[in-house]
Amino acid sequence: MAEPALSMSAPAMVPGGAVAGPPAPTVRGEPVEDGFGPSTGEGGTEEPKAARQPWAARRYALEIRQHMAWHRQALILAAAIGVGLLISAVILVAAGVPAAELANEFIVQTFLDGQNLRAVLFQAAPMVLVGLAGAMAFRARFWNLGLEGQMIWGAIGATAVSFFEIGPPALRLPLMAMAAGAGGLLWVLGPALLKRRLGVNEIISTLMLNYMAANFLLHLVYGSWKDPKDNFPYSPQFRAFERLPDLVAGVNSAIVLAGLVALAAWWAVGLSRAGLYLRFVDANPRMAQAAGVPVARMVYGAVLCSGAMAGLAGFAVAAGQEGRLTQAFYQGYGFSGILIAFLARNNPLAACLVALLVAALFVTGRSLQVFYQVPFSMVQLIQAVIVVCVASSDFFIRHRLRRVGNA
């Protein structure tokens, strides 16, 4: 078969002496793609690029949201928690827990069994207090990671009142609570001053102070405060009037203390003038300063309240659960407080609900230890997974993708 004839025209001159490029070759009137540009049809009109490359017509920009309705925020947060729980379920199944028993362990046995429900309430009291402590500091943009150290000093202050028999027996318990709050408050005052005066990062200072408090606690329980009866590393047992009483069998009055502190925190954050100022400080400290808001006083007040609440959490454990000062009563509470504050979005009332759920997770974790030999570190891993998922959801709450145009 004969080859098709190619028709080529001579180069045409354009104004200025330039030579125009050769026209596209054609095969008997049909266009041929030569690699230098788009082909044209018989009418001479160029085909749209979007028809050949549909991906080129889509361009998006990442924008910061100005505002999102609360129900949409709740939906995104619930989806993040659901993803975290799904990942946690996969981890537990891989660890040997039957998938059919997960709902029974986490819901039926935990909330519908009377004994386990009392254990959840018993565990929830310090959880509520330490979660409120984290939420209060985070509202002032002070990242207080020293909750465990403040708990330790709160328990030390309460134990000192008992050990040295300060005050009459009728006032011993209130004095222990005040000493606990003062101990946590004073322990966080140093990082607050370093942050405001010298610009020292509070994450580092509060975290390092945890180790100092833990080592001082070991010095006491292995030294001068060791129980002389048992010779074990814990303080002498508190007397009956120095312990938080039980409301009913298995339900300690520490949960009432936590509820009262939560109501006070809710009033301070949601209804008082200080709460309004804290919203300005949380949104933009420099703009709040320019608007006349006393930023320094608001930050100091929120941080000191945070330390006092953490100290009360140590008091709730020492006087409500342990009945004495022990060497490891604080372990795990600091991370739990951060988790509760994040999940509750720094809302005091929401922190109470989240603390109950975290306490239920702890109680269920102990049950899994007994019946399925799951290590307790697995429970802490589940907490970490949920924290990562919730922290990731904040990106979708604060940002959005918007289509900006076509190619």
Side-chain angles (χ1 to χ4, degrees):
M1 180 180 294
E3 294 290 332
L6 296 176
S7 63
M8 300 290 293
S9 301
M13 298 296 294
V14 298
V19 179
T26 60
V27 180
R28 293 183 180 178
E30 297 296 329
V32 175
E33 181 68 43
D34 61 353
F36 292 98
S39 60
T40 58
E42 293 182 359
T45 59
E46 182 179 339
E47 294 180 0
K49 291 183 179 180
R52 296 186 297 109
Q53 297 177 345
W55 54 269
R58 299 182 178 90
R59 295 175 56 201
Y60 295 90
L62 185 65
E63 296 182 343
I64 298 178
R65 293 183 187 272
Q66 297 299 322
H67 176 70
M68 176 182 277
W70 67 268
H71 62 277
R72 296 184 64 186
Q73 295 187 32
L75 182 62
I76 293 176
L77 186 60
I81 295 174
V83 171
L85 292 177
L86 180 61
I87 297 173
S88 303
V90 173
I91 293 173
L92 289 173
V93 170
V97 181
E101 294 295 326
L102 287 177
N104 181 61
E105 290 291 338
F106 279 91
I107 299 175
V108 178
Q109 295 296 330
T110 302
F111 293 102
L112 301 182
D113 182 78
Q115 183 177 357
N116 287 336
L117 182 59
R118 288 192 293 270
V120 170
L121 294 176
F122 185 77
Q123 187 70 43
M127 290 285 187
V128 170
L129 291 169
V130 77
L132 290 172
M136 186 62 70
F138 297 162
R139 274 186 170 271
R141 290 197 173 190
F142 186 92
W143 312 113
N144 183 11
L145 303 188
L147 298 173
E148 290 184 351
Q150 294 144 33
M151 281 186 68
I152 291 172
W153 275 99
I156 288 175
T159 306
V161 173
S162 171
F163 190 81
F164 297 108
E165 299 183 3
I166 299 174
L171 297 178
R172 190 70 54 83
L173 200 59
L175 288 174
M176 292 171 65
M178 288 189 289
L185 182 150
L186 293 174
W187 195 243
V188 79
L189 178 60
L193 291 172
L194 291 174
K195 168 76 173 181
R196 295 295 304 176
R197 299 294 178 83
L198 302 177
V200 177
N201 192 316
E202 71 275 16
I203 296 176
I204 303 299
S205 58
T206 56
L207 193 60
M208 292 299 103
L209 285 176
N210 285 341
Y211 297 100
M212 294 180 61
N215 285 308
F216 187 74
L217 173 64
L218 294 178
H219 167 72
L220 290 177
V221 297
Y222 278 94
S224 58
W225 284 12
K226 181 187 288 188
D227 189 2
K229 295 181 180 179
D230 300 335
N231 205 28
F232 278 96
Y234 46 67
S235 71
Q237 191 171 12
F238 295 163
R239 302 166 186 85
F241 56 84
E242 295 171 342
R243 299 195 59 176
L244 289 169
D246 288 343
L247 299 176
V248 295
V251 180
N252 194 264
S253 57
I255 193 67
V256 177
L257 173 65
L260 293 175
V261 174
L263 287 176
W266 170 76
W267 176 84
V269 168
L271 300 179
S272 68
R273 179 181 297 179
L276 179 62
Y277 286 165
L278 275 177
R279 294 178 202 172
F280 282 103
V281 174
D282 186 25
N284 193 324
R286 293 185 178 180
M287 186 64 69
Q289 185 77 42
V293 175
V295 175
R297 279 191 291 169
M298 289 299 101
V299 172
Y300 280 127
V303 172
L304 295 181
C305 286
S306 172
M309 291 174 182
L312 286 176
F315 165 70
V317 175
Q321 296 182 1
E322 303 287 345
R324 62 179 76 202
L325 183 67
T326 58
Q327 61 176 334
F329 74 92
Y330 61 90
Q331 292 180 355
Y333 281 103
F335 188 78
S336 299
I338 297 172
L339 170 65
I340 292 166
F342 267 107
L343 289 178
R345 311 286 294 178
N346 300 333
N347 185 296
L349 296 184
C352 297
L353 178 60
V354 176
L356 286 172
L357 298 178
V358 174
L361 180 62
F362 269 80
V363 172
T364 306
R366 294 192 178 97
S367 176
L368 295 176
Q369 279 183 285
V370 174
F371 294 104
Y372 300 102
Q373 289 74 51
V374 174
F376 191 72
S377 58
M378 191 72 69
V379 178
Q380 294 176 321
L381 175 62
I382 292 173
Q383 286 184 310
V385 168
I386 295 174
V387 167
V388 171
C389 291
V390 172
S392 302
S393 71
D394 193 69
F395 174 83
F396 298 99
I397 292 175
R398 296 182 182 273
H399 300 83
R400 67 176 178 178
L401 282 175
R402 187 174 69 86
R403 188 170 179 176
V404 295
N406 298 330

